[in-house]
Amino acid sequence: MANPSWGMVIDNDKCTGCNACVIACQSENNIPINEEDHFTQRRPIQWIRIERYWEGEFPNVKARFIPVLCQHCADAPCEPVCPVYATYHNDQGLNVQVYNRCIGTRFCANGCPYQVRHFNFWEPEWPDSLENQLNPDVTVRTRGIMEKCTFCVQRIQRTKRESEKNNTSIKDGDRQLNPACVNGCATDALVFGDFNNPESKVSKMKKKELGHGGHGDHSDHDGHKEHDEKRGYHLLEEYGTHPSVVYLKKVDYESKTVEKH
Amino acid sequence: MIPGDFQFSKPPKNKLILLGVLGSIGFIVFAVIALIATFHISSWIDKPIVFAGEAPDQPIEFPHTIHVQELGLDCTFCHTNVTKGASASIPAVNLCMSCHTQLGDGSTEIEKLREIHAKKDVIQWTRVHRMPDHVRFIHEAHVKRFSGTRLVVEKITDSTNQIRLTEAKTIKAGAKIGETLDIAASGTCSICHGDVSKMHKVEQVRTLKMSDCVDCHRENDAPTDCTTCHY
């Protein structure tokens, strides 16, 4: 069987901005607690964050949310700039960060247009009450190295190991396999799966919403009806990074507009 | 002797002593630096050739020789988790006490064990094999890879009982090429841990550096992607 190409489909229409994915990620991946001064210095570590936009004038204000995580770009701008090959693309479509190789030049974070790479400016610290909640399957990153979303590669590896042991294939949408953010999402706005498997939920969604063109190239040549039906797009697709995360537009019938952030 | 020729005047005695003392201090400093450098450089490449250290002392002297060689206990009898999960696991004191409530009266080491058991304490073993924090080693996967019925022994390179990881395809010494081997889980431990049954004190046999791991992964067609071990 072909290697999987892990990816995600994020439906902005379903996202309520509840931040459950952020908390799930925080606890799954041993991310240190972001304190207030980390935010004021613009140095918080959030592998997934909810970007919030306000729309409209005062009485009719609407909040719009976009969950932003590492897009695991096929042509990632972070990869060629690393002098020590600490970040590279593996055969499963993952953009891998190798912590023990990283020397902390931060070139990758400067190259990333999505601002999803985070540098450890401080030694990670947890309150005593949380010392025992650390996930033993995830490395605790020390000060001075870069970290980012891994699509919970520890869960992928574990599922792969289990399926090899039991001679079964990896099930699509398996909760053992899904990243913590996907499992934590209350409205199923995040869907994780294998884009190389045409039967997977993400492949079907991508085909339906993005069309054959891929990479969000669904211009209006078929008329407006086509435009209304297909909601898929990539974040900042004009940069040509070819991300593995597909976003679906928020459709607001009330304001008769299709929001594309 | 030609008059006016340069003549080395004999230095006074106290100056000679000073020179001697300075020289020996300098030599000692140089030797210390050289030793430290040797330690660091050699431990970077392989096991350190100086200050290597012996097997660490354990709070209770547990002889694997008696338990494995003489009694013939299987590795998985105590290290139960080795076929089930990431860590091999150290047995609970209760497992020791299932025999040692009856056996071993008079031995000081067993008295220590009974004392710990009476206090409902745990034995603070000194860890011998430790992987760095950024390495995920899964015992289960490795044991599974090498145990079970293996159809063909592909090559035999080591005729002694010392089985090395680089020749991991030949688990059993004395096997013939093409022979079917039935290898128990405990038959695979010695690949990395050496023959623990012959160790009075457990020591680390292999360097367990990354090159060690990667060499074996290449040899056995295991994945060498970084995310196999580092995440």
PDB file of all heavy atoms in Angstrom, chain A residues 44 88 130 186 211:
ATOM      1  N   PRO A  44       3.936  33.269  23.077  1.00  0.00           N
ATOM      2  CA  PRO A  44       3.260  32.084  23.598  1.00  0.00           C
ATOM      3  C   PRO A  44       3.506  30.896  22.673  1.00  0.00           C
ATOM      4  O   PRO A  44       3.817  31.078  21.499  1.00  0.00           O
ATOM      5  CB  PRO A  44       1.784  32.488  23.575  1.00  0.00           C
ATOM      6  CG  PRO A  44       1.700  33.419  22.438  1.00  0.00           C
ATOM      7  CD  PRO A  44       2.989  34.154  22.386  1.00  0.00           C
ATOM      8  N   TYR A  88      12.171  18.549   8.050  1.00  0.00           N
ATOM      9  CA  TYR A  88      12.163  17.965   6.710  1.00  0.00           C
ATOM     10  C   TYR A  88      10.809  17.331   6.476  1.00  0.00           C
ATOM     11  O   TYR A  88      10.008  17.205   7.391  1.00  0.00           O
ATOM     12  CB  TYR A  88      13.283  16.918   6.567  1.00  0.00           C
ATOM     13  CG  TYR A  88      13.019  15.647   7.314  1.00  0.00           C
ATOM     14  CD1 TYR A  88      12.541  14.514   6.653  1.00  0.00           C
ATOM     15  CD2 TYR A  88      13.215  15.585   8.682  1.00  0.00           C
ATOM     16  CE1 TYR A  88      12.263  13.356   7.352  1.00  0.00           C
ATOM     17  CE2 TYR A  88      12.939  14.434   9.380  1.00  0.00           C
ATOM     18  CZ  TYR A  88      12.474  13.334   8.719  1.00  0.00           C
ATOM     19  OH  TYR A  88      12.189  12.191   9.411  1.00  0.00           O
ATOM     20  N   LEU A 130       0.795  19.826  38.008  1.00  0.00           N
ATOM     21  CA  LEU A 130       0.698  19.302  36.647  1.00  0.00           C
ATOM     22  C   LEU A 130       1.905  18.453  36.255  1.00  0.00           C
ATOM     23  O   LEU A 130       1.975  17.980  35.131  1.00  0.00           O
ATOM     24  CB  LEU A 130       0.549  20.457  35.648  1.00  0.00           C
ATOM     25  CG  LEU A 130      -0.769  21.206  35.697  1.00  0.00           C
ATOM     26  CD1 LEU A 130      -0.792  22.288  34.653  1.00  0.00           C
ATOM     27  CD2 LEU A 130      -1.934  20.264  35.466  1.00  0.00           C
ATOM     28  N   ALA A 186     -15.621  19.636  19.518  1.00  0.00           N
ATOM     29  CA  ALA A 186     -16.988  19.268  19.878  1.00  0.00           C
ATOM     30  C   ALA A 186     -17.902  19.236  18.664  1.00  0.00           C
ATOM     31  O   ALA A 186     -18.904  18.532  18.659  1.00  0.00           O
ATOM     32  CB  ALA A 186     -17.527  20.260  20.902  1.00  0.00           C
ATOM     33  N   GLY A 211     -12.593  20.330  -5.470  1.00  0.00           N
ATOM     34  CA  GLY A 211     -12.666  20.005  -6.885  1.00  0.00           C
ATOM     35  C   GLY A 211     -11.398  19.344  -7.370  1.00  0.00           C
ATOM     36  O   GLY A 211     -10.469  19.130  -6.612  1.00  0.00           O
TER      37      GLY A 211
END
